[in-house]
Amino acid sequence: MSAGVREPVQVMNRRDFGRALDRLAHEIVERNQGVENLALIGIRTGGAFLAERLQKQIGKIEGVKPLLGIIDITLYRDDFANGLSNPVMGPTEIDFSLAGKKVVLVDDVLFTGRTVRAAMDALMDHGRPTRVQLVVMCDRGHRELPIQPDYTGIVAQTTRSENVKVRMKELGEEDGVWIEPPRPRTLPVAVLPPPAKERSKRKK
Amino acid sequence: MKFNHRHVLSMEQFSAADIHAVLDTAENFLELNSREIKKVPTLRGRAVINFFFEPSTRTRTSFEIAGKRLSADMLNLSGSSSSVVKGESLVDTALTLRSMNPDIVVVRHSHAGAPHLMARHVGAHVINAGDGQHQHPTQGLLDLMTVRQRFGQIEGLKVAIVGDILHSRVARSDLIGFQKCGAEVWLCGPPTLLPPEFARFGARMTYNLEEALTGAHVIILLRVQAERMNSAFFPTAREYSQRYGLNSEKLKWARKDAVVMHPGPMNRGVEIDPSVADGAHSLILRQVENGVSVRAALMMMLLGGGDRPRGDA
């Protein structure tokens, strides 16, 4: 395993990001032969903004915008039982049936694949799409499920503990992709046992 | 925002921020109703026991639908069909349930505090579905949700709760909940059913319906319980209806955009005239719909918190 980054590293700047977005939009319309029955579904929250951008971009290329929806996967997560700390659920906004649609799932970062698995389960509850494809801005590896993207903005080499951040102007930042060092791991104070000395004192 | 609650026992336990967090989650659950498949796998493999020591169809069904939407296994037990009638104590019942390993126990009981006692022994999350004349927190939350949906906020609204305040757990939960969210709460009813002690909660009190309704945004009518009609609290159902029943004439005392709510089941012609119950101001059916979402949100938030309560409350 490599030592990893110590400082945040930018792997995509604003211009790279714009070019990638443009290429992804072209690839999507090429593979689907236009926008007929095409629906972009962004995975909340990072994928939602990206889906909106792709919709706009495809609209510019084809003159017609594909359908757009946003899906929240909180209720489909497979780690729910293990105790998420305070899951926050956002609204799902899909105001059309997915039956007969070619769906392109949109997410910012592809990591373990578990989010995409949950999103696919959620999708199926909104109807039966004819095809489901996946587009991500950054594939950072370390998959835990057999899931691969159909369209990728960038493939980044990362260690497991690093964080990949896709920043967008919708979030008040300049477009770009960053790899950040792992967050320092700290134990909650209450879990730490008292020092040995104190413990022996207490017994007396 | 952290939801730090193991149980849902009383409106008193919630801060205004907690309340809004529950309502935000509940709003997102409404979307499930419009889907082809109205079930999500979130609580798959979790067990929820509905333990109703007191008859209830509406609340029990609401919890049952909420649990089923989340894929939890729902088990209904009623007081009359359980060993309670054979003289088992509440603590023994709780310990018996505990050995069945439920994740959530929903309790309704005719005695105040019964869910609190259950919570100490049952080893699962407890949701109070109504205890005696004490609290009915999920009703309070769904009322708040219904009002927030209509007015966009709760702060600054005038809320009139009318009827049998003395015996009503809904009135107590609503009073506390609306006050925490910054509404001005008026209580109104006949002197026999409006105990002066409620002034301690900071509620405005009046025996005069017109005073309570003037300028009101929200009117919450309480059910006149049949068993009280024949006792000495008021002379006749007809007289009650004349003085405190809401009809379209009296509704004009309130604001033009006022909303009318009722926890159900209603006595048409006693506390509410059919023209009001079915009229444009009524949100009674919306309350029922929101009830399922609020209960689903609470189940998810309790079980999403991670650690599960053991014996200690």
Side-chain angles (χ1 to χ4, degrees):
Chain A
M1 201 191 226
S2 72
V5 297
R6 299 231 177 110
E7 297 283 319
V9 173
Q10 191 173 29
V11 292
M12 245 186 178
N13 63 25
R14 186 175 59 83
R15 302 192 56 183
D16 300 331
F17 194 93
R19 284 187 208 109
L21 210 60
D22 199 31
R23 172 174 56 80
L24 293 172
H26 274 105
E27 282 180 10
I28 291 169
V29 289
E30 184 187 11
R31 184 99 55 99
N32 292 289
Q33 290 147 355
V35 295
E36 203 186 339
N37 283 325
L38 190 67
L40 300 175
I41 306 285
I43 302 174
R44 191 170 287 280
T45 53
F49 296 122
L50 204 57
E52 264 175 56
R53 291 272 196 99
L54 280 171
Q55 188 203 30
K56 217 181 279 175
Q57 200 66 27
I58 292 174
K60 267 188 212 162
I61 299 166
E62 290 288 301
V64 189
K65 281 184 183 176
L67 292 163
L68 177 70
I70 294 167
I71 203 159
D72 183 277
I73 58 135
T74 313
L75 297 172
Y76 293 85
R77 289 176 64 152
D78 61 1
D79 50 357
F80 199 90
N82 307 342
L84 293 168
S85 48
N86 297 290
V88 178
M89 190 178 151
T92 287
E93 295 155 20
I94 301 178
D95 50 10
F96 47 90
S97 170
L98 294 181
K101 298 284 185 313
K102 289 180 268 186
V103 170
V104 181
L105 269 178
V106 185
D107 205 359
D108 51 358
V109 181
L110 181 59
F111 185 18
T112 60
R114 289 179 190 272
T115 302
V116 175
R117 199 279 314 159
M120 284 197 283
D121 277 0
L123 274 186
M124 300 305 165
D125 287 356
H126 287 267
R128 185 179 182 278
T130 49
R131 285 186 72 176
V132 179
Q133 301 164 351
L134 174 64
V135 53
V136 298
M137 185 48 84
C138 178
D139 177 356
R140 60 166 297 187
H142 306 285
R143 216 81 76 235
E144 291 169 6
L145 294 172
I147 282 171
Q148 302 305 333
D150 298 276
Y151 316 96
T152 313
I154 188 175
V155 177
Q157 297 293 327
T158 63
T159 66
R160 230 169 182 296
S161 54
E162 283 164 354
N163 296 298
V164 175
K165 283 272 162 348
V166 172
R167 302 200 167 133
M168 273 179 278
K169 60 181 180 207
E170 286 86 346
L171 298 161
E173 289 160 312
E174 200 178 75
D175 290 346
V177 179
W178 293 76
I179 299 176
E180 294 176 350
R183 291 186 197 95
R185 295 182 66 178
T186 49
L187 281 175
V189 179
V191 175
L192 295 170
K197 268 186 191 171
E198 276 183 36
R199 255 182 288 169
S200 59
K201 262 186 211 166
R202 248 184 233 169
K203 272 179 192 165
K204 284 172 194 172
Chain B
M1 166 64 221
K2 256 181 116 58
F3 185 78
N4 273 324
H5 299 278
R6 284 181 151 189
H7 308 289
V8 177
L9 299 175
S10 161
M11 279 308 274
E12 278 162 311
Q13 76 188 68
F14 292 121
S15 65
D18 287 335
I19 291 172
H20 286 290
V22 173
L23 301 194
D24 289 343
T25 308
E27 288 288 346
N28 291 329
F29 269 102
L30 286 175
E31 183 258 338
L32 276 185
N33 288 333
S34 61
R35 285 202 203 168
E36 234 165 274
I37 293 168
K38 297 176 179 58
K39 203 177 175 80
V40 291
T42 319
L43 299 186
R44 206 176 46 170
R46 304 300 193 99
V48 179
I49 296 183
N50 261 340
F51 208 158
F52 280 64
F53 292 86
E54 219 185 47
S56 155
T57 313
R58 180 177 305 250
T59 306
R60 187 181 52 85
T61 315
S62 181
F63 272 107
E64 197 173 340
I65 295 174
K68 286 186 169 167
R69 290 266 166 91
L70 290 169
S71 302
D73 294 317
M74 300 295 301
L75 191 67
N76 284 312
L77 296 175
S78 69
S80 57
S81 66
S82 72
S83 43
V84 176
V85 286
K86 296 172 191 160
E88 188 176 63
S89 77
L90 193 60
V91 172
D92 282 331
T93 306
L95 293 175
T96 309
L97 290 183
R98 179 179 183 161
S99 45
M100 297 177 198
N101 248 332
D103 295 284
I104 296 180
V105 179
V106 179
V107 184
R108 162 161 301 184
H109 201 284
S110 54
H111 290 296
H116 302 67
L117 186 63
M118 277 293 238
R120 282 210 290 277
H121 299 282
V122 81
H125 301 280
V126 171
I127 301 179
N128 180 359
D131 60 330
Q133 297 167 13
H134 176 225
Q135 280 283 314
H136 193 352
T138 57
Q139 178 74 42
L141 288 165
L142 76 90
D143 286 347
L144 287 159
M145 177 175 175
T146 310
V147 168
R148 199 183 77 164
Q149 256 169 11
R150 175 53 67 96
F151 292 101
Q153 62 179 71
I154 295 163
E155 209 177 336
L157 301 183
K158 175 174 175 181
V159 179
I161 305 177
V162 181
D164 183 355
I165 307 291
L166 173 63
H167 299 101
S168 175
R169 52 193 173 213
V170 176
R172 285 165 177 78
S173 285
D174 278 343
L175 169 62
I176 295 169
F178 277 101
Q179 282 188 332
K180 286 199 175 189
C181 294
E184 177 188 312
V185 182
W186 284 68
L187 302 176
C188 174
T192 47
L193 294 172
L194 185 58
E197 290 80 13
F198 271 87
R200 269 193 294 177
F201 289 103
R204 309 288 298 267
M205 320 237 294
T206 177
Y207 304 134
N208 180 337
L209 186 63
E210 183 170 357
E211 191 185 0
L213 295 194
T214 304
H217 297 79
V218 180
I219 306 164
I220 299 172
L221 300 170
L222 302 172
R223 182 168 70 95
V224 175
Q225 296 168 31
E227 57 273 27
R228 324 255 181 242
M229 288 197 202
N230 300 321
S231 51
F233 292 107
F234 48 87
T236 61
R238 201 171 137 213
E239 188 172 332
Y240 180 90
S241 171
Q242 276 170 359
R243 299 203 54 179
Y244 296 101
L246 186 65
N247 59 23
S248 0
E249 278 307 303
K250 295 181 203 162
L251 185 54
K252 286 180 186 155
W253 292 331
R255 284 170 57 102
K256 269 192 183 148
D257 60 349
V259 297
V260 178
M261 311 206 298
H262 191 300
M266 324 180 243
N267 296 302
R268 285 171 181 262
V270 184
E271 72 265 11
I272 187 164
D273 191 77
S275 65
V276 175
D278 308 324
H281 296 265
S282 167
L283 290 181
I284 295 170
L285 295 176
R286 176 54 68 82
Q287 286 175 276
V288 179
E289 188 187 348
N290 287 343
V292 175
S293 292
V294 158
R295 287 162 183 135
L298 285 174
M299 288 185 193
M300 182 194 117
M301 292 171 94
L302 285 177
L303 289 179
D307 63 328
R308 142 197 202 137
R310 295 315 328 182
D312 56 319

